[in-house]
Amino acid sequence: MKKDFIIRKITALGLAALFASVSLTGCGETAFSSSGSTASTAQAKKELKFSKSQGPYSELFQKGVQPILEKKGYKINAVDMSDLSQADSALNDGEVDFNVEQHVTYMNNFNKTQNGHLAAVTPIPTVPAGIYSGSKTALKQLTDGSKIAVPNDAANTARAYVLLQKAGWIKLKAGIEPTKATQEDIAENPYHIQFVEMKSLNIPSVRSDFDFIVITGSIVYNAKIDPSTALLEEDILPDLMLHLVVKDSDENSQWAKDIAAAYQSDEFKTYLDKNNNGLWTVPDYSKK
């Protein structure tokens, strides 16, 4: 009797263990299926957030690119950002999905100094930096000791000095990296130009205090300066073309590919042809 009871108990325990094993296996399969579904959902993501600034690049995206994406079923939400540093932090922290406001040099600097994980997906139309008049209205009016305002953020400071070298006003040291040029890299300054490095946003409001100013395209746009009045425009280096930027974990997502395709589409080209107004330098997408 006692022996039969022990056998029945062992059998019951064995069956319980078996059912528990089956149950756990079933849960494991469900979890795996759920995980696969989550991955699939991430790839099929259709609602996106981007960081919006007051400038030409967000406006170009909203007017020329967003309608193309909406036809593909995307819903785009804009999140206002006060500056690009804030926008990159928000992107890096996953608060937004992408931005369209920066060149690769700026992005690389953010990744290096802020432990960022951002990636450039495709170049996008860019407004070149230019030399604009201050108190002087023509390049030939440069005189000894002229005073010139240039942006003080590293990447755009370099653009300014490369542009001033193009004008023939200074000469940079041989062999330097153009996207990293600083005032210390000026080898020759025959006109003894006085350079004042200051925040880009402030330059247009004090332009009459300088003989000439150097400003980037977004500043030209925000200050409502006619880009055709530039006395000289830069030759935009590849690393200074603006890009669609995402987190590196999203670089190969379907939605990132779809945004890039929208920028490179014939429909967007048609929009640009009608709305360029001499403002944009457009990448050669045939080389992609």
Side-chain angles (χ1 to χ4, degrees):
M1 185 85 173
K2 187 173 181 180
K3 185 176 179 182
D4 289 343
F5 172 76
I6 292 171
I7 290 172
R8 284 197 302 273
K9 189 164 186 178
I10 291 172
T11 302
L13 289 171
L15 288 171
L18 177 60
F19 287 136
S21 174
V22 171
S23 175
L24 286 171
T25 301
C27 288
E29 287 175 352
T30 301
F32 178 81
S33 176
S34 174
S35 173
S37 176
T38 300
S40 175
T41 300
Q43 279 295 311
K45 183 174 181 178
K46 287 290 187 177
E47 187 164 348
L48 303 170
K49 294 180 182 179
F50 85 103
S51 55
K52 177 184 176 183
S53 73
Q54 298 303 312
Y57 305 112
S58 290
E59 184 175 311
L60 181 67
F61 171 79
Q62 289 185 300
K63 290 185 176 180
V65 178
Q66 185 170 325
I68 299 172
L69 295 169
E70 288 172 343
K71 290 176 185 176
K72 285 177 168 274
Y74 285 97
K75 180 180 179 182
I76 311 294
N77 298 302
V79 180
D80 290 323
M81 297 285 171
S82 60
D83 57 48
L84 186 50
S85 176
Q86 180 193 24
D88 273 356
S89 294
L91 177 56
N92 200 53
D93 292 341
E95 296 171 18
V96 296
D97 297 300
F98 65 94
N99 64 46
V100 292
E101 306 288 339
Q102 66 191 302
H103 45 63
V104 173
T105 299
Y106 189 99
M107 183 195 74
N108 288 341
N109 185 64
F110 176 85
N111 283 343
K112 180 179 179 181
T113 60
Q114 304 297 321
N115 192 31
H117 300 279
L118 308 184
V121 178
T122 183
I124 62 177
T126 304
V127 183
I131 299 175
Y132 287 82
S133 63
S135 60
K136 305 287 180 65
T137 58
L139 296 178
K140 64 183 180 181
Q141 293 176 347
L142 180 75
T143 57
D144 193 74
S146 285
K147 191 162 66 168
I148 299 177
V150 299
N152 68 354
D153 57 290
N156 291 320
T157 301
R159 295 171 78 177
Y161 291 128
V162 170
L163 177 56
L164 292 169
Q165 177 173 250
K166 178 183 177 181
W169 292 356
I170 62 171
K171 186 173 182 179
L172 297 171
K173 295 175 182 175
I176 67 157
E177 171 55 53
T179 60
K180 297 179 180 178
T182 68
Q183 194 170 154
E184 285 67 40
D185 294 315
I186 297 174
E188 298 178 20
N189 181 11
Y191 295 96
H192 306 101
I193 295 170
Q194 301 175 58
F195 302 103
V196 179
E197 297 180 3
M198 58 189 299
K199 191 172 182 178
S200 295
L201 285 170
N202 295 335
I203 292 177
S205 65
V206 295
R207 65 187 295 185
S208 61
D209 295 339
F210 296 90
D211 296 293
F212 302 95
I213 60 173
V214 179
I215 46 179
T216 59
S218 59
I219 304 302
V220 171
Y221 180 90
N222 288 334
K224 295 181 170 50
I225 296 172
D226 182 351
S228 69
T229 63
L231 304 177
L232 184 68
E233 289 185 343
E234 71 177 331
D235 301 316
I236 303 180
L237 298 169
D239 281 356
L240 296 179
M241 286 293 291
L242 267 68
H243 278 65
L244 163 66
V245 174
V246 302
K247 285 191 72 170
D248 55 13
S249 57
D250 290 325
E251 184 176 5
N252 295 310
S253 66
Q254 186 58 53
W255 58 262
K257 292 177 181 177
D258 286 343
I259 299 173
Y263 270 108
Q264 298 169 16
S265 68
D266 289 339
E267 185 175 346
F268 180 61
K269 182 180 182 301
T270 299
Y271 173 86
L272 274 179
D273 288 344
K274 293 179 179 177
N275 298 278
N276 194 325
N277 298 322
L279 188 66
W280 304 99
T281 296
V282 182
D284 183 358
Y285 292 123
S286 67
K287 296 180 179 179
K288 64 183 177 180

